[in-house]
Amino acid sequence: MILAAAGSAALLLGAYTFQALGYAPCKLCLWQRWPHGVAILVGVVAIFYARAVTAVVGALAALTTAGFGIYHTGVERGWWEGPSSCSGGGDLSGLSGADMLSTETLDKVVMCDEVAWAFAGLSMASWNAVASFALACIWAAALVRTLR
């Protein structure tokens, strides 16, 4: 359980490192971070209370962030629509002409359907999904160990 929680900590540290290097996170990137935080907290709890329930909660956290990663990957690849707040396609009817011409918030909007960085053909969201599935397997192995 500690190993899986440390993996989530490493992924979260990596996300913040990329952010420090100038890769601002989009809305879906931020959603993927929260379950890693939960997994880290569960790992801390597991130091004192290593039971099946902690392993299950950790695995669910890892599977949740993997699910967000798959969803985000699908948005990036155009397989399905993402949130209108970060994927375009939003309704402009509530904006005035001044709002539409304003450039004050252009640098603050990070589009969820654009890949900011990729390695070996996979975006950060895709790598998060792959790594999070691996962490879910580690949590599952910990569950099996607690049931023995």
Side-chain angles (χ1 to χ4, degrees), residues 13 15-16 29 44-45 57 60 84 91 113 119 122 125-126 130 140:
L13 179 63
Y16 284 114
C29 294
V44 171
V45 169
V57 173
L60 288 174
S84 60
D91 184 14
D113 55 358
F119 176 73
L122 297 177
S126 300
V130 169

Side-chain angles (χ1 to χ4, degrees), residues 2 15 26 36 39 61-62 132:
I2 303 303
C26 71
H36 283 302
S132 295

Side-chain angles (χ1 to χ4, degrees), residues 13-138:
L13 179 63
Y16 284 114
T17 300
F18 271 97
Q19 187 173 340
L21 292 173
Y23 294 97
C26 71
K27 182 180 194 174
L28 294 178
C29 294
L30 295 175
W31 288 1
Q32 291 173 74
R33 293 179 185 187
W34 287 102
H36 283 302
V38 170
I40 294 165
L41 290 175
V42 171
V44 171
V45 169
I47 293 170
F48 306 102
Y49 188 76
R51 302 286 188 266
V53 69
T54 51
V56 169
V57 173
L60 288 174
L63 289 172
T64 300
T65 192
F68 283 142
I70 290 170
Y71 173 66
H72 192 178
T73 297
V75 171
E76 290 172 338
R77 294 180 183 257
W79 296 340
W80 46 71
E81 294 290 320
S84 60
S85 61
C86 67
S87 297
D91 184 14
L92 301 178
S93 62
L95 297 175
S96 69
D99 289 336
M100 287 190 269
L101 293 174
S102 174
T103 60
E104 292 178 7
T105 60
L106 286 179
D107 62 339
K108 296 178 186 167
V109 177
V110 178
M111 301 305 289
C112 296
D113 55 358
E114 295 177 5
V115 176
W117 180 88
F119 176 73
L122 297 177
S123 68
M124 285 188 268
S126 300
W127 282 113
N128 178 61
V130 169
S132 295
F133 275 123
L135 292 176
C137 289
I138 295 171

